Amino acid sequence: MQAQEIKEQLKSLIEQASSIDPNLAKKLSEINRWVKNIKPGSLTAKPFVLAFLLEVITDSTIWLIIKSLPSKEEQTAKFEQMTPNERYWYSYLFPKWINATDSKFYIWKQKLMAGEFNQGDDDIIKAIAQDIVQREGSVWQRYIADLSMATDLIVSSHQAKPLCIQVTSVSEEFNHQKYHYWQNTLHSWEIERGLFLSYNPKNANYIKQLVNIAMYNSDCLSGGKYLKFS
């Protein structure tokens, strides 16, 4: 989808949402104000902004389809057709974001637009995701989850129980403050289980170790737990 098409699709979704989910319409209107004065060529030169917009358009389209279904039973049936991670996102986290005041939204919109979005652990997160999928688990990634909910990946293993994970290379002696910030963020979004993974890139098997920990805790971590592994 080209930049101009994205802007037109955003406006169309605002119109649809205004009668189906006014809170979503407000969120999309805020995003539209953020990008409406940027020329398509300039927007094309901002790949992270475009990727975020495409995600929001996709998620909003799916959400409006679900909300438009005439009964709760039909909505539930739609959720049941999804993977566990998709279901967790569309039935729980995405509507939470729609209806909440996102205190971080203003800050990270500025960073995305300025090209200051730092994905220092991106290659590691991709490697973890690939390994999980190869081992018949599943993963889910969203900019909103990353930037507002301190969640790099949502992971499901054999028990199909989604788990929110943050990955960092910050060493043990310095990650204490980041861990508490992460924990408070998950608690504020009422995310009931989380895993904070700190890795040492000098360890030859760290990807395998991180995947083992993620998949085991996806199945076994009980509710109300926020665990840190280094």
Side-chain angles (χ1 to χ4, degrees), residues 43-206:
L43 199 55
T44 302
K46 299 179 183 293
F48 292 126
V49 175
L50 281 184
F52 164 70
L53 292 173
L54 284 169
E55 276 189 1
V56 168
I57 286 169
T58 298
D59 288 345
S60 299
T61 301
I62 291 169
W63 177 246
L64 290 173
I65 289 169
I66 292 166
K67 286 282 283 185
S68 297
L69 293 171
S71 70
K72 288 288 184 184
E73 290 77 14
E74 287 174 275
Q75 291 180 12
T76 300
K78 193 73 175 175
F79 287 133
E80 289 301 318
Q81 294 172 4
M82 297 178 176
T83 68
N85 292 341
E86 287 175 321
R87 185 161 56 248
Y88 183 55
W89 180 249
Y90 289 113
S91 70
Y92 191 70
L93 289 182
F94 187 61
K96 271 195 174 298
W97 180 76
I98 291 170
N99 293 301
T101 299
D102 184 352
S103 60
K104 299 178 186 175
F105 196 31
Y106 174 75
I107 298 166
W108 64 255
K109 280 191 306 179
Q110 287 184 319
K111 289 188 174 182
L112 275 181
M113 192 62 74
E116 295 171 359
F117 179 52
N118 182 13
Q119 287 188 308
D121 297 309
D122 190 44
D123 289 342
I124 307 306
I125 292 164
K126 284 180 181 175
I128 292 168
Q130 288 170 357
D131 201 348
I132 289 171
V133 170
Q134 286 171 359
R135 292 163 64 172
E136 299 185 343
S138 62
V139 296
W140 189 258
Q141 282 182 278
R142 281 296 187 264
Y143 283 97
I144 291 167
D146 182 2
L147 297 166
S148 290
M149 301 173 182
T151 295
D152 293 313
L153 290 172
I154 300 170
V155 172
S156 289
S157 188
H158 305 297
Q159 297 293 325
K161 294 160 64 177
L163 177 65
C164 291
I165 292 175
Q166 181 160 95
V167 180
T168 181
S169 59
V170 177
S171 63
E172 176 69 24
E173 59 184 311
F174 297 115
N175 70 24
H176 191 68
Q177 184 177 356
K178 186 171 182 178
Y179 167 73
H180 282 288
Y181 174 80
W182 165 83
Q183 191 177 25
N184 290 337
T185 299
L186 263 61
H187 191 262
S188 71
W189 287 101
E190 298 180 329
I191 295 169
E192 66 169 16
R193 304 190 312 150
L195 197 60
F196 184 92
L197 296 177
S198 175
Y199 67 90
N200 181 355
K202 295 178 182 178
N203 183 333
N205 293 317
Y206 71 92

